[in-house]
Amino acid sequence: MEMVPSEENQLVPKEGMFWSCRQSIFNEMKKRFSQIENASEEPRVLCIVQDTTNAKTVNERLTLNLPASTTLSKLFEDVAHKASYVNGTFDLAWGKTGDMGSLDPSSETSLTESGFEPGKRNFLQLTDKDGEQPQIASDESGTAGSSGLDDSSQERFIGPLPRDGTVGCSSDYSSPSYSYSSILNKSDTGYVGLVNQAMTCYLNSLLQTLFMTPEFRNALYNWEFEESEEDPVTSIPYQLQRLFLLLQTSKKRAIETTDVTRSFGWDSSEAWQQHDVQELCRVMFDALEQKWKQTEQADLINQLYQGKLKDYVRCLECGYESWRIDTYLDIPLVIRPFGASQAYGSVEEALQAFVQPETLDGANQYFCERCKKKCDARKGLRFLHFPYLLTLQLKRFDFDYTTMHRIKLNDRMSFPEELDMGPFIDVEDEKSPQTESCTDSGAENEGSCHSDQMSNDFSADDGVDEGICLDSASSTERVLKPKSSLTFELFSVMVHSGSAAGGHYYACIKSFSDGQWYSFNDQHVSKITQEDIRKTYGGSSGSRGYYSSAFASSTNAYMLIYRLKDPSRNAKYLDCEDFPEHIKHLVQREKESEEQEKRQREIERNTCKIKLFCMHPVKMMAMMENKLEVHKDKTLREATEMAYKLMELDGVVPLDCCRLVKYDEFHEYLERSYEGEDDTPMGLLLGGVKSSYMFDLLLETRRAEQVFQPYKPGEVMVKVHVVDLKTDTIAPPVSIRAYLNQSITEFKQLIAQATELSAETMRVVLERCYNDLRLLYVPNKTLKAEGFFRSNKVFVESSESPDHQVTFTDSLLWKLLDRHGNTIRLFVSLPVQSPGTNRTICQKVGGETEECSEGSKGNRNSVETILEESTEKLKNLSLQQQQGSSTSDSQKSSDTSDFEHIESPSPSQEPDSSSVSAVVAVDNRELENRIRAASGGSGGGAYSDPETQFPGEERSDSEVNNDRSTSSVDSDILSSSHSSDTLCNADSGPIQLANGLDSHSITSSRRSKANEGKKETWDTAEEDSGTDSEYDENGKSKAESYYLYFRAEPYAQEDGSGEGGQKCVLVHVDKRITLSAFKQNLEPFVGVTSTQFKVFRIYANNQEFESVRLNETLSSFSDDNKITIRLGRALKKGEYRVKVYQLLVNDAEPCKFLVDTVFAKGMTVKQSKEELMPQLKDQCKLDLNIDKFRLRKKTWKNPGTVFLDYHVYEEDINISSNWEVFLEVLDGPEKMKSMSQLAVLTRRWTPAQMKLEPFQEVVLESSSVEELKEKLSEISGIPLENLEFAKGRGTFPCDISVLEIHQDLDWNPKVSTLNVWPLYICDDGAVVFYRDSTEEPMEQSEDERNELMKKESSRLLKTGHRVSYSPRKEKALKIYLDGGPVKDPGQD
């Protein structure tokens, strides 16, 4: 800026320059405001980032609201800044999906182009990069990794971490008083975690402990695997060696253990089985010993972990001692002695109790070999040798004989960091005058409280072992070594958190390198302190009372491992440079494998995976589906080649006749094509690498002479079906594309070009949803206004037909489309045998059975012949009808080629208007008579009397099976959910046949005279909840009021089961037809009238259910449903099928199926019993007197109301379809005389015998408790003041264990009537237990109680009732040395 001197000789801006400066500042501000304004108008993307690299931050979210134009690289910078990480040391992946796809940190594409949605929440996950945790960005206070905080200022917790989605580590086990200290990065701890496969936390804890044991790890490294001798996959030592190397050298945060478990012979199901860590230790050591046979490591386990002890019995009279040497790998320490109310307070106290001898006296006296008599003796254990690595198991799992459940003892038990085992070598001062080495049974005396505590392998060695605590100079005089040689230091605490039913294991381990304690909790490794170790003692701050365990923390130590402090033997961890050569080679191979895995992950991270579809031109023109995996940098041309090979089109279609287009499978919509983008990378076309896409790809093909049509965004797809009214056909769809802003006129022109139809006479009908037809007649209306969407279906018709002049809903076009939308296809299986009259004739002939069967076969053939002979006549009649009707204007609107208007004859018909119809009807009656005659004669047959049941009536598979498991509740549910399953029971009506019976096709067109001249009524069936008749009160067939489509043709089953046996018919029928009319149309194919066959609908698993309502439609049926026709009399109006079960109250199975029968509305119970009696005699061999049995209500398996003989069905007793009742045989005359009485089933409980007596029925005149007690006192002899009763629980017979009944039931409720709470006994059939209150339960020993418990469990399991104690079935822990279990071929 140019300056000039002022009057005061000061420099000031030159005139005009000041205003110029102001203007430039203003313009700059204006520009910046404009940028801010534009930025505010730009869409913004909300990113929610979850940091999964750290257990402390896994539940926290980082939120960034960025402009949509922000690049991915800038997104990574912003996330790094907000999370305080070094950019480039972490990955970002899409969240909220199962298969995460990572984002490219170097990409310059915008967020919107990468698949982010503005205005919506976009979830991301911040993950480790190549298995390594992100680096913390440094600041002024130092590295965040070291936190710069004093450890004392941070809360610490060594319990299980709440990990999302990890089974076996429940947050329920976390004590609220604990909080985890800061989880240090792997680079800070220097240790690698192990991934929990599902419930393998117990395995992870043991593996980390063995890894942190220098002697075990070094010995494992010194073992060399010989690949020529064994498969590496099944070699347990080799896989452990690999795992330990990865734990020591890997850069990952955590590694998998699947290779180790695979070497155990485990499959994936084992990952879901939690086992005891001590049991795993024993089994794994056994497997290693087997694998290490004849190697330098053959005796490694014994050298490190095995100790020896003496199990002795000493006579107190003569001093004679019998003993044996046992080996052990761990010492089980009791937490709380059996029967004691107080637990041991420390490990030292429990060890003292372990070696404390007991005196055998009284009944437990010991038989002395020297004294030759039973004498008082002392029995106990003495430690002879302690192992180098001492393992102590704290027995926290016990069995509570009061509740009969497994429990966990959470009592406090402290343990020292250094344990002096010197005092436990030999606490006995006296010198034995004589000892003898033996394996006398005295050492295994049942009175020993220690023999069942040892989990060891017994040694065959019968001599005194010189251990580290014994002087080998004398076998009779034991001299202890200095105590320093028996000092052990704690280095591993395996912690269990949870209950006896399940929980989580983790390990607290001290490193021998720096003396620091670490928590190894699956994949999380963190530093901890001595205070954290003390928190694993268990217990609470209160007293050590009996119930203190119930309120204690469930997180406590379970196994302790100590190492002997011996500088000469204490080893250090091998460094990488000190590895043996074979280990160095293995490290190199593992590094190469890890690098290869890293490269593969990089490829996976940049691979787009998307659904690919293709309409294959050869394979039945079916839409094929596959998954296209293509690198984001591959071009569209290369991706098309990959899709071409994937869909196996080589040799079928040339490659240049294929292209990839964007496709929406759900709407079957082609969104867009990619013209001119053959060299564009797929990552750009697809919007980046994502775990899932909102669209798919379609590999489109064309013929050589065709040209691909361009698909532009914004277009809609329309499937056009051409309708031909002359042939009544609808053509397959032709696909065209249109714009939503096109008018109907323009749309018709577009269709005309594709179909070569005339746009002038074109009618276009849009099917917006199922059977919702809309005629598009407004020329200037747009497709969007008419309701078009992405994918649409239209029907077009273009002709000079007068049908154009008719209202759309009355037109032939509408009727054809309506029929098309409502027609379903059903597969109907016809009965194999001919009607029962033929079989009856055969029985009359007697010896001419073969001739009769041939005759019946000939009759069946004659039926078919008659039908075929009538075909041409019916065709001609149909043509005459059409020609005649064309001369009458009144019949034009209702005449179609598919719906012949054939009316039934009636006295009121005009001869001139329905002569053809009358001829057809008469001809059909003649045809029906000929069918009856051919089927076995017209007189006295099954057809002459509709009430006559077929002697050879067929039953469904479910009827034949006597083991009925379907309850009335189930039947009602099925009936209500498929309410259109109705059964026809009408007499045979006129059968109209058309369209050529040589192809077995029929078209039904029935309409009543009353409806003539009116608009057709498609369904005039009345609503009725019960079974209805096909005839109204005047005897006129209700089916005559229908005008619905029916066409049938023979069908050969694909499996060939229909050949030479059961015949099948493929039926196309309007689903608005009632089952009554449907059955009448089936009459010619079944060969009998509709009253003489039944319809069964087949559901999943081939379950058959009879349709019992006949006035409803087939609306619940869908395409390709299956129906079976069975011969037999159908139900009349008011009749119901009933299943009868026998009630056997004192049998193990109290519910036994007897027969199927029919009850009718208005029938009395006595009449139904009279009809039942012959059925029971013939089918069940039950010859009953009518007064010796009763019927009663059945609800599931519970007996209910007793039906009295004078009760009337539907008036006094509600009856429904598929009803079920109980039949109960009486011991004497019926005691129930009126509905005011109450029948109760009673059962006596006798505690002195621990037994339940059989059921006895008690009939009460009222609901009085006093009357019940008086009746019970009368039949049992129990004084009234001592009688107590309780209501049974659950379903009949209300079984309960005799071990629980005395205290579990609500005995002697304080009520005066039975119909109030807590009894609610308001109906017959309630179960009441009663007892004598003065009778004491039987005294039982523990063995007797256990035996009774087993018997009760077995009894209740057989009856299917609740068992008092049924622990979770645990799978035995096994390690298979041959690679896996041998499958029993009989298991399948």
Side-chain angles (χ1 to χ4, degrees):
M1 180 182 297
E2 187 178 353
M3 308 293 288
V4 294
S6 64
E7 293 179 355
E8 291 83 9
N9 292 324
Q10 294 178 341
L11 292 175
V12 296
K14 188 179 179 181
E15 189 177 351
M17 292 299 294
F18 177 77
W19 297 108
S20 174
C21 183
R22 284 189 59 187
Q23 186 65 34
S24 64
I25 293 173
F26 177 76
N27 291 338
E28 183 67 23
M29 291 179 64
K30 184 177 179 182
K31 181 180 178 182
R32 294 207 174 188
F33 278 124
S34 177
Q35 289 177 350
I36 294 172
E37 187 178 354
N38 292 337
S40 63
E41 293 176 358
E42 182 182 355
R44 302 188 73 82
V45 175
L46 178 63
C47 301
I48 300 175
V49 184
Q50 178 188 19
D51 186 355
T52 62
T53 63
N54 194 310
K56 190 175 182 180
T57 61
V58 73
N59 294 320
E60 298 176 2
R61 301 291 186 271
L62 305 175
T63 304
L64 297 91
N65 195 5
L66 305 173
S69 60
T70 304
T71 62
L72 282 180
S73 58
K74 184 67 170 64
L75 170 67
F76 273 81
E77 292 176 9
D78 292 346
V79 171
H81 177 72
K82 192 150 189 174
S84 299
Y85 288 146
V86 176
N87 192 15
T89 63
F90 61 87
D91 280 333
L92 289 178
W94 290 102
K96 297 294 183 183
T97 56
D99 181 21
M100 295 189 301
S102 296
L103 302 176
D104 185 1
S106 60
S107 175
E108 294 301 322
T109 57
S110 67
L111 295 182
T112 51
E113 292 172 346
S114 301
F116 287 78
E117 298 184 44
K120 295 185 179 180
R121 293 184 296 174
N122 298 271
F123 291 94
L124 300 173
Q125 289 190 356
L126 192 151
T127 61
D128 297 341
K129 186 176 181 66
D130 301 330
E132 297 184 20
Q133 281 193 316
Q135 297 179 17
I136 307 293
S138 59
D139 51 24
E140 293 178 1
S141 61
T143 342
S146 58
S147 76
L149 299 173
D150 183 60
D151 289 341
S152 62
S153 67
Q154 300 181 22
E155 293 182 320
R156 297 182 176 275
F157 170 56
I158 56 169
L161 288 170
R163 290 167 292 136
D164 295 342
T166 304
V167 183
C169 175
S170 172
S171 58
D172 295 341
Y173 303 139
S174 300
S175 173
S177 63
Y178 289 174
S179 62
Y180 229 100
S181 60
S182 59
I183 306 301
L184 303 179
N185 296 334
K186 182 190 61 181
S187 57
D188 295 324
T189 64
Y191 294 103
V192 178
L194 294 174
V195 176
N196 191 333
Q197 295 183 35
M199 300 179 74
T200 56
C201 52
Y202 67 99
L203 173 65
N204 293 349
S205 301
L206 180 61
L207 291 176
Q208 292 283 20
T209 297
L210 295 177
F211 171 72
M212 295 294 286
T213 307
E215 292 77 9
F216 185 89
R217 189 205 298 185
N218 297 345
L220 185 64
Y221 284 169
N222 289 327
W223 174 80
E224 186 172 358
F225 173 66
E226 297 292 341
E227 194 164 354
S228 58
E229 297 178 2
E230 191 178 4
D231 183 2
V233 175
T234 59
S235 175
I236 298 172
Y238 176 69
Q239 294 301 335
L240 281 176
Q241 198 177 71
R242 288 185 60 244
L243 182 74
F244 281 15
L245 277 176
L246 290 173
L247 286 173
Q248 188 168 351
T249 62
S250 177
K251 295 180 181 180
K252 294 182 180 179
R253 181 184 179 186
I255 57 178
E256 297 279 354
T257 58
T258 49
D259 289 339
V260 174
T261 56
R262 192 178 295 113
S263 71
F264 291 170
W266 295 357
D267 55 20
S268 58
S269 64
E270 288 286 349
W272 297 91
Q273 293 282 339
Q274 190 176 73
H275 294 288
D276 186 272
V277 68
Q278 185 265 349
E279 180 187 11
L280 172 69
C281 187
R282 298 288 75 80
V283 174
M284 185 189 292
F285 282 176
D286 288 343
L288 287 172
E289 285 183 319
Q290 293 294 323
K291 290 286 187 178
W292 276 336
K293 280 183 177 179
Q294 300 177 352
T295 68
E296 292 181 6
Q297 289 76 19
D299 202 36
L300 176 66
I301 301 300
N302 292 337
Q303 290 173 4
L304 295 179
Y305 294 94
Q306 182 176 279
K308 291 189 179 182
L309 54 78
K310 177 192 284 189
D311 189 348
Y312 69 92
V313 181
R314 173 176 292 179
C315 178
L316 294 180
E317 293 187 13
C318 68
Y320 173 82
E321 183 178 286
S322 174
W323 54 270
R324 71 175 181 187
I325 302 299
D326 290 336
T327 60
Y328 63 90
L329 293 178
D330 58 49
I331 302 174
L333 299 180
V334 174
I335 299 287
R336 185 193 300 166
F338 180 76
S341 61
Q342 191 166 325
Y344 295 130
S346 65
V347 163
E348 294 93 335
E349 192 178 336
L351 280 168
Q352 190 65 45
F354 185 83
V355 297
Q356 181 68 34
E358 65 168 328
T359 302
L360 304 179
D361 55 8
N364 291 328
Q365 278 188 324
Y366 163 70
F367 184 83
C368 178
E369 292 291 338
R370 176 182 291 178
C371 300
K372 302 298 181 184
K373 65 174 184 177
K374 286 190 174 183
C375 306
D376 288 352
R378 184 171 292 169
K379 184 182 188 307
L381 301 169
R382 294 196 196 105
F383 287 111
L384 301 178
H385 168 70
F386 287 114
Y388 178 71
L389 297 170
L390 178 65
T391 304
L392 303 179
Q393 181 203 3
L394 309 185
K395 299 186 69 175
R396 292 197 175 274
F397 299 107
D398 205 349
F399 190 82
D400 189 339
Y401 288 95
T402 305
T403 61
M404 305 305 288
H405 285 74
R406 284 183 65 193
I407 59 172
K408 182 183 176 186
L409 302 175
N410 293 313
D411 301 86
R412 176 185 172 87
M413 177 173 276
S414 64
F415 45 86
E417 188 173 0
E418 289 192 357
L419 178 63
D420 183 8
M421 296 299 290
F424 305 105
I425 282 295
D426 192 357
V427 296
E428 202 167 343
D429 295 330
E430 55 187 330
K431 180 186 278 190
S432 172
Q434 181 177 355
T435 61
E436 182 178 340
S437 173
C438 65
T439 54
D440 185 63
S441 61
E444 298 173 329
N445 192 292
E446 284 185 36
S448 170
C449 65
H450 303 295
S451 60
D452 62 338
Q453 297 173 359
M454 300 304 300
S455 58
N456 55 17
D457 299 321
F458 294 121
S459 172
D461 183 11
D462 59 356
V464 179
D465 177 77
E466 287 92 23
I468 62 175
C469 58
L470 294 179
D471 189 352
S472 59
S474 172
S475 61
T476 60
E477 186 174 352
R478 293 170 290 278
V479 181
L480 296 181
K481 288 187 177 181
K483 284 190 176 183
S484 60
S485 64
L486 293 178
T487 302
F488 291 80
E489 63 174 325
L490 179 70
F491 77 96
S492 177
V493 180
M494 277 173 265
V495 183
H496 181 268
S497 177
S499 66
H504 175 64
Y505 285 100
Y506 61 95
C508 301
I509 306 173
K510 182 175 76 171
S511 170
F512 289 111
S513 299
D514 55 8
Q516 172 66 48
W517 280 92
Y518 296 90
S519 170
F520 290 84
N521 194 340
D522 290 336
Q523 59 263 47
H524 304 283
V525 184
S526 60
K527 288 183 180 181
I528 55 175
T529 64
Q530 284 292 338
E531 180 60 29
D532 296 320
I533 299 298
R534 284 191 284 273
K535 288 179 180 178
T536 65
Y537 290 168
S540 57
S541 57
S543 62
R544 290 189 287 143
Y546 183 78
Y547 293 104
S548 63
S549 176
F551 304 99
S553 167
S554 65
T555 301
N556 35 52
Y558 180 62
M559 275 184 70
L560 310 173
I561 301 183
Y562 287 84
R563 186 177 78 163
L564 180 69
K565 295 186 71 173
D566 185 356
S568 64
R569 296 185 63 182
N570 294 157
K572 295 182 178 180
Y573 304 113
L574 279 179
D575 292 328
C576 295
E577 55 270 15
D578 299 327
F579 284 164
E581 286 302 317
H582 65 276
I583 295 295
K584 290 181 179 178
H585 293 319
L586 183 56
V587 170
Q588 187 60 33
R589 289 201 301 271
E590 292 299 328
K591 283 186 177 179
E592 292 173 358
S593 174
E594 195 168 316
E595 287 296 324
Q596 177 62 27
E597 184 182 335
K598 181 179 177 180
R599 288 192 293 270
Q600 188 60 38
R601 282 201 307 269
E602 188 65 27
I603 294 173
E604 288 287 328
R605 189 177 291 113
N606 293 294
T607 299
C608 303
K609 299 176 182 179
I610 189 168
K611 274 187 181 181
L612 175 68
F613 295 89
C614 177
M615 183 65 74
H616 203 281
V618 174
K619 296 182 179 180
M620 300 178 64
M621 288 297 291
M623 181 68 82
M624 296 176 60
E625 179 181 343
N626 215 317
K627 192 171 187 179
L628 178 64
E629 298 183 5
V630 57
H631 195 277
K632 65 175 185 177
D633 295 332
K634 294 280 186 181
T635 63
L636 178 62
R637 181 181 289 103
E638 293 172 317
T640 305
E641 292 178 11
M642 294 173 63
Y644 180 76
K645 293 176 182 177
L646 197 62
M647 288 301 182
E648 301 176 358
L649 294 177
D650 193 12
V652 179
V653 180
L655 178 60
D656 57 0
C657 291
C658 302
R659 70 168 178 178
L660 286 174
V661 296
K662 195 174 180 181
Y663 177 63
D664 181 355
E665 178 200 8
F666 182 78
H667 296 100
E668 297 183 5
Y669 169 57
L670 296 170
E671 294 192 20
R672 60 159 297 186
S673 54
Y674 300 105
E675 281 80 15
E677 300 189 65
D678 288 342
D679 297 322
T680 305
M682 290 299 293
L684 194 58
L685 288 179
L686 300 180
V689 180
K690 299 181 183 179
S691 57
S692 62
Y693 292 89
M694 300 298 292
F695 57 90
D696 314 298
L697 292 178
L698 174 74
L699 185 62
E700 194 177 18
T701 61
R702 63 175 174 85
R703 292 193 294 271
E705 67 277 6
Q706 287 182 322
V707 177
F708 279 127
Q709 178 184 355
Y711 306 143
K712 299 177 182 178
E715 294 178 333
V716 294
M717 175 174 279
V718 184
K719 292 184 177 180
V720 180
H721 296 261
V722 178
V723 179
D724 190 343
L725 292 181
K726 294 181 180 178
T727 59
D728 278 351
T729 58
I730 298 176
V734 175
S735 295
I736 65 171
R737 297 178 70 84
Y739 288 99
L740 291 176
N741 58 1
Q742 278 184 325
S743 66
I744 299 300
T745 303
E746 293 171 334
F747 183 53
K748 287 183 178 181
Q749 294 292 340
L750 191 61
I751 296 176
Q753 294 176 12
T755 59
E756 299 181 355
L757 296 175
S758 171
E760 304 299 328
T761 58
M762 184 182 293
R763 284 185 292 177
V764 180
V765 179
L766 170 66
E767 185 180 74
R768 293 191 297 181
C769 55
Y770 169 71
N771 212 27
D772 179 11
L773 304 174
R774 170 186 286 226
L775 181 66
L776 308 181
Y777 59 89
V778 181
N780 296 325
K781 205 169 184 180
T782 63
L783 300 187
K784 184 176 182 179
E786 290 286 5
F788 278 70
F789 190 55
R790 287 186 169 186
S791 186
N792 311 273
K793 181 196 288 188
V794 299
F795 300 91
V796 298
E797 189 273 335
S798 181
S799 66
E800 300 293 341
S801 169
D803 194 55
H804 282 252
Q805 310 303 322
V806 183
T807 305
F808 176 58
T809 53
D810 293 329
S811 65
L812 298 179
L813 176 61
W814 184 86
K815 291 180 180 178
L816 180 58
L817 296 180
D818 182 70
R819 187 197 78 190
H820 176 267
N822 286 286
T823 298
I824 56 174
R825 182 174 67 175
L826 302 175
F827 295 96
V828 180
S829 298
L830 302 176
V832 178
Q833 299 180 0
S834 55
T837 48
N838 296 332
R839 293 191 290 276
T840 306
I841 294 172
C842 290
Q843 292 169 2
K844 290 180 181 178
V845 174
E848 302 177 0
T849 306
E850 288 188 9
E851 294 180 9
C852 287
S853 64
E854 289 177 4
S856 65
K857 182 178 180 182
N859 288 339
R860 287 197 299 271
N861 291 337
S862 65
V863 172
E864 295 175 2
T865 305
I866 292 171
L867 293 175
E868 291 175 0
E869 288 175 355
S870 306
T871 300
E872 291 302 321
K873 181 184 297 185
L874 291 166
K875 282 184 176 179
N876 294 335
L877 288 172
S878 181
L879 291 173
Q880 292 174 19
Q881 180 192 7
Q882 292 177 15
Q883 293 170 2
S885 63
S886 63
T887 60
S888 173
D889 293 337
S890 64
Q891 294 179 351
K892 282 183 181 179
S893 63
S894 59
D895 228 341
T896 72
S897 59
D898 263 315
F899 301 92
E900 285 83 19
H901 182 187
I902 304 174
E903 298 185 1
S904 301
S906 67
S908 61
Q909 276 185 319
E910 295 295 332
D912 55 339
S913 63
S914 300
S915 58
V916 177
S917 298
V919 171
V920 173
V922 172
D923 183 79
N924 278 297
R925 286 200 298 273
E926 180 184 351
L927 171 63
E928 184 180 5
N929 292 332
R930 292 180 63 189
I931 292 175
R932 292 184 178 183
S935 300
S938 59
Y943 300 103
S944 59
D945 183 7
E947 297 187 11
T948 304
Q949 187 163 343
F950 284 115
E953 177 176 339
E954 291 188 82
R955 304 175 67 199
S956 69
D957 296 337
S958 58
E959 289 175 323
V960 174
N961 183 8
N962 282 343
D963 184 17
R964 292 297 198 279
S965 61
T966 306
S967 69
S968 59
V969 178
D970 298 334
S971 302
D972 293 342
I973 292 172
L974 289 168
S975 176
S976 63
S977 61
H978 300 285
S979 59
S980 66
D981 290 359
T982 58
L983 185 67
C984 178
N985 63 356
D987 296 318
S988 60
I991 307 172
Q992 289 77 26
L993 307 175
N995 292 340
L997 271 174
D998 52 340
S999 63
H1000 294 270
S1001 61
I1002 300 178
T1003 300
S1004 170
S1005 310
R1006 297 187 175 90
R1007 185 170 56 175
S1008 64
K1009 180 71 176 177
N1011 287 333
E1012 186 176 341
K1014 300 178 182 178
K1015 182 178 178 180
E1016 276 83 352
T1017 303
W1018 290 87
D1019 192 356
T1020 58
E1022 299 175 2
E1023 290 295 329
D1024 192 359
S1025 59
T1027 305
D1028 206 354
S1029 171
E1030 288 186 24
Y1031 293 86
D1032 57 20
E1033 295 178 357
N1034 298 325
K1036 188 172 182 179
S1037 173
K1038 293 181 180 180
E1040 292 180 7
S1041 62
Y1042 294 103
Y1043 191 86
L1044 298 172
Y1045 180 77
F1046 182 99
R1047 182 170 61 85
E1049 56 191 25
Y1051 169 71
Q1053 297 185 15
E1054 293 180 1
D1055 56 2
S1057 58
E1059 295 179 7
Q1062 197 168 26
K1063 297 179 181 178
C1064 296
V1065 176
L1066 182 63
V1067 175
H1068 296 267
V1069 63
D1070 193 313
K1071 62 183 178 183
R1072 294 167 297 188
I1073 195 173
T1074 61
L1075 199 57
S1076 169
F1078 177 67
K1079 286 185 65 179
Q1080 290 192 17
N1081 283 300
L1082 285 175
E1083 285 177 351
F1085 302 98
V1086 183
V1088 299
T1089 58
S1090 60
T1091 58
Q1092 302 301 332
F1093 66 83
K1094 299 176 286 185
V1095 174
F1096 289 85
R1097 184 173 179 179
I1098 302 177
Y1099 292 89
N1101 301 324
N1102 291 323
Q1103 288 182 309
E1104 296 182 358
F1105 290 94
E1106 183 183 359
S1107 300
V1108 294
R1109 296 175 180 174
L1110 61 89
N1111 64 322
E1112 295 179 353
T1113 65
L1114 306 184
S1115 58
S1116 70
F1117 285 72
S1118 57
D1119 272 335
D1120 298 336
N1121 280 175
K1122 294 181 180 180
I1123 291 174
T1124 295
I1125 304 297
R1126 300 191 184 278
L1127 299 178
R1129 182 177 74 81
L1131 297 178
K1132 298 179 182 178
K1133 183 175 182 178
E1135 289 186 337
Y1136 300 88
R1137 295 202 186 277
V1138 180
K1139 288 181 172 64
V1140 182
Y1141 295 79
Q1142 186 175 2
L1143 177 63
L1144 304 164
V1145 292
N1146 288 309
D1147 279 19
E1149 183 52 57
C1151 181
K1152 177 186 175 184
F1153 176 76
L1154 293 177
V1155 294
D1156 273 326
T1157 188
V1158 175
F1159 288 177
K1161 190 190 323 185
M1163 177 187 287
T1164 65
V1165 172
K1166 186 172 184 178
Q1167 288 174 330
S1168 64
K1169 288 165 66 176
E1170 290 172 348
E1171 293 200 6
L1172 261 179
M1173 288 168 60
Q1175 280 185 269
L1176 295 171
K1177 187 173 183 180
D1178 293 343
Q1179 299 181 31
C1180 307
K1181 309 303 179 189
L1182 283 177
D1183 192 3
L1184 301 175
N1185 188 305
I1186 195 168
D1187 297 323
K1188 294 295 183 181
F1189 73 95
R1190 64 160 68 132
L1191 299 180
R1192 65 190 304 167
K1193 183 180 179 180
K1194 178 180 181 291
T1195 306
W1196 184 227
K1197 292 184 179 180
N1198 298 313
T1201 309
V1202 175
F1203 300 149
L1204 305 179
D1205 285 350
Y1206 57 82
H1207 282 165
V1208 179
Y1209 296 115
E1210 282 291 357
E1211 294 181 10
D1212 303 311
I1213 302 169
N1214 292 327
I1215 189 170
S1216 60
S1217 59
N1218 294 316
W1219 202 44
E1220 295 178 346
V1221 296
F1222 270 129
L1223 180 148
E1224 186 179 11
V1225 180
L1226 301 174
D1227 296 329
E1230 176 63 81
K1231 298 178 183 178
M1232 293 288 291
K1233 302 297 182 183
S1234 71
M1235 289 296 292
S1236 62
Q1237 293 175 308
L1238 189 66
V1240 180
L1241 292 168
T1242 65
R1243 199 172 188 184
R1244 179 172 179 175
W1245 156 241
T1246 54
Q1249 303 175 24
M1250 298 295 283
K1251 189 174 72 172
L1252 283 166
E1253 303 290 344
F1255 279 103
Q1256 286 183 285
E1257 186 179 75
V1258 171
V1259 178
L1260 306 176
E1261 300 299 326
S1262 66
S1263 295
S1264 167
V1265 170
E1266 285 302 317
E1267 184 185 359
L1268 173 63
K1269 285 189 171 183
E1270 290 171 3
K1271 295 272 187 179
L1272 294 178
S1273 177
E1274 182 182 329
I1275 63 175
S1276 65
I1278 300 174
L1280 195 62
E1281 62 273 11
N1282 297 334
L1283 192 140
E1284 293 182 342
F1285 74 95
K1287 183 185 177 183
R1289 297 174 181 168
T1291 57
F1292 185 81
C1294 305
D1295 253 330
I1296 187 172
S1297 170
V1298 295
L1299 295 171
E1300 297 179 347
I1301 186 173
H1302 205 67
Q1303 64 270 7
D1304 274 17
L1305 294 183
D1306 184 14
W1307 290 98
N1308 214 27
K1310 306 300 181 183
V1311 292
S1312 58
T1313 58
L1314 300 175
N1315 56 1
V1316 297
W1317 184 87
L1319 296 177
Y1320 286 124
I1321 299 177
C1322 306
D1323 197 5
D1324 303 326
V1327 174
V1328 170
F1329 295 98
Y1330 65 97
R1331 69 181 181 188
D1332 188 340
S1333 61
T1334 61
E1335 189 175 340
E1336 292 295 328
M1338 181 197 305
E1339 291 290 336
Q1340 292 179 300
S1341 67
E1342 198 61 48
D1343 291 340
E1344 289 173 335
R1345 183 180 176 85
N1346 290 339
E1347 186 64 28
L1348 183 59
M1349 184 180 68
K1350 291 179 183 177
K1351 289 181 180 179
E1352 284 296 283
S1353 297
S1354 175
R1355 177 180 70 86
L1356 295 177
L1357 281 173
K1358 287 179 181 177
T1359 57
H1361 285 77
R1362 180 177 63 89
V1363 184
S1364 59
Y1365 173 61
S1366 179
R1368 175 175 60 88
K1369 188 175 181 180
E1370 296 181 1
K1371 190 175 180 181
L1373 191 150
K1374 292 182 181 179
I1375 292 179
Y1376 305 94
L1377 301 180
D1378 54 354
V1382 179
K1383 187 176 180 181
D1384 183 4
Q1387 281 181 333
D1388 297 336

